[in-house]
Amino acid sequence: MKEVRAIITKEFCANNIDLTKEQVIVLHGLHQKDGRPQQDLASVTGRDKTSLTRLLNTMENKGLICRKQSLSDKRINLVYI
């Protein structure tokens, strides 16, 4: 897995793509279904809530995603591309 990560990182850098493998996985999950609950993305990506929150904060700062509070349940954050 470390080798795969290194190859992906190398290719991204060679093509001036400012993404990590984890960010690509999140974007792919959102491409399949935009507006997913943050909890759903945690299970899809296999990350715990804390590390996913940090990852989403970084992606939000880069302008890749946005989070909005669910209208039906204020405790749920929906994530959009």
Side-chain angles (χ1 to χ4, degrees):
M1 215 44 204
K2 284 184 180 181
E3 242 180 82
V4 171
R5 179 186 294 242
I7 291 168
I8 290 171
T9 303
K10 182 180 174 184
E11 287 299 314
F12 283 173
C13 286
N15 292 293
N16 294 323
I17 300 171
D18 186 24
L19 291 174
T20 64
K21 183 185 83 141
E22 292 80 11
Q23 291 172 346
V24 171
I25 292 169
V26 169
L27 289 173
H28 178 70
L30 291 173
H31 177 70
Q32 289 177 335
K33 182 184 175 198
D34 204 16
R36 281 188 161 185
Q38 195 167 320
Q39 181 78 8
D40 184 33
L41 279 174
S43 64
V44 167
T45 60
R47 299 178 74 87
D48 60 69
K49 292 180 205 177
T50 305
S51 66
L52 181 70
T53 299
R54 271 187 257 122
L55 177 62
L56 293 179
N57 286 341
T58 300
M59 292 178 74
E60 201 167 27
N61 290 336
K62 286 183 173 183
L64 298 171
I65 57 129
C66 68
R67 288 182 274 194
K68 297 181 182 176
Q69 206 171 45
S70 172
L71 296 175
S72 61
D73 188 344
K74 302 269 186 223
R75 298 170 295 171
I76 297 174
N77 284 323
L78 301 176
V79 183
Y80 296 89
I81 293 178

